Amino acid sequence: MLSEKERFKGRHLLSLHDFSPDEIAYILDLAGELKDRQKKNIPHPYLRGKMLGMIFQKSSTRTRVSFEVAMYQLGGSAMFLNVNDLQLGRGETIADTARVLSRYLDGIMIRTYSHADVEELARHATVPVINGLTDLLHPCQILADLLTVKERKGRLAGLKLAYVGDGNNVCHSLLFGCAKTGMHISVASPEGYKPKEEIVRLAEKDAEQTGSRIEILTSPVEAVSGADVVVTDVWASMGQEVEQSRRVRVFAPYQVNRQLTGHARPDYIFLHCLPAHRGEEVTDEIIDGPHSAVWDEAENRLHVQKAVLALLL
């Protein structure tokens, strides 16, 4: 699989929009191969001696652990860098930080608020920069989602994915991921909480290559009707805690529960990037039920992370 790695080497992963449908398919295929190697205890130390720096302004469970374990299993090492421990927290420019870290590291993963900051880091870094999450996009999560759907359904193209909830970073990257892989996507969000129009326009352009259909709706029932995959996310993301009580009222009709999923296909699967606020965006009987694939989805963060790291570094 790594025979075509030169097309990826040294590139950044800031957005799935920057990768072609064939390239995303290649990443998913490699992730599946590396997952199989791990299950069979076949070593795959493609990054022996490599060091990844991981900058965290937003805390995380899955992102930190999956990237750190991924580097270890690939033969390399990962270094946790809390943004408050860096000179970034004392006024050093992002550009200067990028130049310095590039002299020490083979790659940088950053999980932060501002997408513009990640773009600035990538502009000045001479090593690959990977977007571990921003307020705008969450590409690594959606690669894991796509791998999970592919494993459960055997394909991606032609399936319908319904996203119900806030038009946030997960929603934005799902729009790109579905558009790049030929999946149809229906998004249901309340007025005032829809995905950004600029992201939708870019995704629609991507969809022209694959035949993907994109719908932006307000009705969760309409979005979920006939869906093969149902996805949601928390109603108030990190940094939006002050809006929690208002958002709970606004999003109450968008809860993923047995009544709503009754409109999906009988063999639908449920995905959630986690952490979940049980009883808010999803009920226990759905996230713990027979249609839930969230634990496979969480595990697949590790395998797609390994594929991305092996290719870019």
Side-chain angles (χ1 to χ4, degrees):
M1 281 298 303
L2 284 173
S3 59
E4 297 183 34
K5 66 182 182 297
E6 292 304 319
R7 67 200 287 194
F8 294 93
K9 189 175 180 181
R11 290 174 63 180
H12 305 303
L13 172 55
L14 306 188
S15 169
L16 296 182
H17 176 66
D18 300 331
F19 289 77
S20 71
D22 286 346
E23 288 170 339
I24 290 177
Y26 189 86
I27 293 170
L28 297 177
D29 286 345
L30 178 58
E33 179 183 311
L34 293 176
K35 183 175 183 177
D36 187 58
R37 282 172 173 260
Q38 179 183 315
K39 301 298 183 187
K40 294 177 179 176
N41 292 315
I42 300 173
H44 39 283
Y46 297 124
L47 297 182
R48 185 177 283 121
K50 300 284 188 180
M51 175 64 79
L52 176 73
M54 307 186 301
I55 301 175
F56 283 86
Q57 187 174 24
K58 282 189 172 184
S59 59
S60 170
T61 298
R62 281 148 292 276
T63 299
R64 178 176 178 179
V65 176
S66 59
F67 269 105
E68 197 160 331
V69 173
M71 283 300 292
Y72 174 79
Q73 292 184 355
L74 290 168
S77 301
M79 178 183 294
F80 174 78
L81 301 168
N82 187 303
V83 73
N84 295 321
D85 297 332
L86 300 175
Q87 294 295 341
L88 267 173
R90 300 202 307 172
E92 183 172 61
T93 67
I94 293 171
D96 287 352
T97 298
R99 294 181 183 109
V100 171
L101 292 182
S102 296
R103 301 295 182 103
Y104 302 143
L105 304 169
D106 300 288
I108 302 168
M109 188 284 297
I110 181 168
R111 180 180 170 94
T112 189
Y113 292 91
S114 168
H115 193 75
D117 286 352
V118 177
E119 292 176 326
E120 177 79 356
L121 187 73
R123 257 193 304 275
H124 297 280
T126 56
V127 296
V129 172
I130 299 169
N131 176 6
L133 172 141
T134 66
D135 285 347
L136 185 68
L137 297 171
H138 199 355
C140 293
Q141 175 63 55
I142 272 49
L143 287 173
D145 294 2
L146 295 173
L147 179 61
T148 307
V149 175
K150 184 181 175 186
E151 289 175 337
R152 288 294 188 103
K153 297 294 185 180
R155 64 188 174 101
L156 294 173
L159 296 177
K160 178 181 177 179
L161 182 147
Y163 175 85
V164 180
D166 190 18
N168 60 10
N169 49 7
V170 169
C171 178
H172 291 157
S173 286
L174 276 172
L175 283 164
F176 288 143
C178 290
K180 292 286 187 178
T181 58
M183 291 182 72
H184 309 309
I185 179 169
S186 295
V187 175
S189 301
E191 292 293 349
Y193 297 90
K194 293 183 179 297
K196 291 182 180 295
E197 291 182 6
E198 177 189 359
I199 298 293
V200 175
R201 284 196 299 271
L202 290 173
E204 288 173 341
K205 197 164 187 177
D206 290 340
E208 293 173 3
Q209 304 174 64
T210 63
S212 169
R213 294 194 302 272
I214 295 173
E215 294 181 303
I216 309 299
L217 310 166
T218 53
S219 167
V221 170
E222 188 177 351
V224 169
S225 292
D228 300 282
V229 185
V230 178
V231 189
T232 191
D233 193 9
V234 295
W235 293 338
S237 299
M238 230 177 293
Q240 298 174 331
E241 289 83 0
V242 295
E243 304 176 33
Q244 176 72 20
S245 58
R246 177 166 56 84
R247 282 173 169 264
V248 167
R249 292 193 299 273
V250 171
F251 284 98
Y254 291 80
Q255 183 185 73
V256 177
N257 51 36
R258 184 167 57 176
Q259 182 179 0
L260 180 61
T261 55
H263 298 279
R265 292 179 60 87
D267 61 346
Y268 84 93
I269 63 171
F270 172 74
L271 299 179
H272 191 305
C273 66
L274 303 177
H277 290 176
R278 291 164 175 263
E280 289 185 8
E281 75 272 7
V282 61
T283 60
D284 284 346
E285 79 174 319
I286 298 301
I287 196 169
D288 294 328
H291 296 278
S292 177
V294 298
W295 315 119
D296 290 342
E297 176 190 12
E299 179 192 337
N300 281 338
R301 288 292 302 276
L302 170 63
H303 306 300
V304 297
Q305 250 80 291
K306 282 201 282 190
V308 167
L309 291 165
L311 291 168
L312 302 189
L313 272 60

